[in-house]
Amino acid sequence: MATTSVEQLLSDLALANPDRHALVLSVRAAIHAAVPQATERVMYGGIMVSAPTPFCGVFAYAEHVSLEFGRGCDLKDTHGVLEGQGKFRRHIKLRAGADIAGKHLADYVRQAAALAAAE
């Protein structure tokens, strides 16, 4: 479910970087397939996703899209794709649509949503 601010962010991204826009749309679709009740809002220059507690964010950069987890340190990284060494945050860098399945995005999204719901 996208708000007006999310739609505006996506519109701006489509104009600035059509390739990143397409990848962001694919990432959003994968998130909503894994967590159908998820909602979105613009925060920190990206799209924060909640169900109802925030559990991940989608951020577009010049060379990739990052799916970020505020409590990524608590996720089981069974596929070895999480990046980051901070105290809590972890992220998955996506450069192509194939990365969504290849990096097992749905698994991490479901884990993150479940952890957020348990807090």
Side-chain angles (χ1 to χ4, degrees), residues 14-99:
L15 292 172
N17 192 329
D19 291 337
R20 293 292 80 75
H21 175 258
L23 186 53
V24 166
L25 293 180
S26 296
V27 170
R28 288 175 66 231
I31 292 168
H32 289 283
V35 184
Q37 71 275 23
T39 60
E40 303 171 325
R41 67 185 166 126
V42 173
M43 196 169 185
Y44 309 119
I47 301 170
M48 294 300 297
V49 184
S50 304
T53 306
F55 64 92
C56 71
V58 180
F59 298 86
Y61 297 98
E63 299 299 321
H64 68 279
V65 170
S66 181
L67 180 62
E68 302 188 5
F69 303 98
R71 295 292 304 195
C73 62
D74 295 327
L75 300 178
K76 294 178 184 170
D77 190 13
T78 55
H79 305 289
V81 299
L82 291 175
E83 297 183 42
Q85 300 298 318
K87 188 172 181 179
F88 299 110
R89 296 182 66 77
R90 299 292 183 274
H91 63 275
I92 299 173
K93 286 183 184 172
L94 306 150
R95 291 184 170 80
D99 288 342

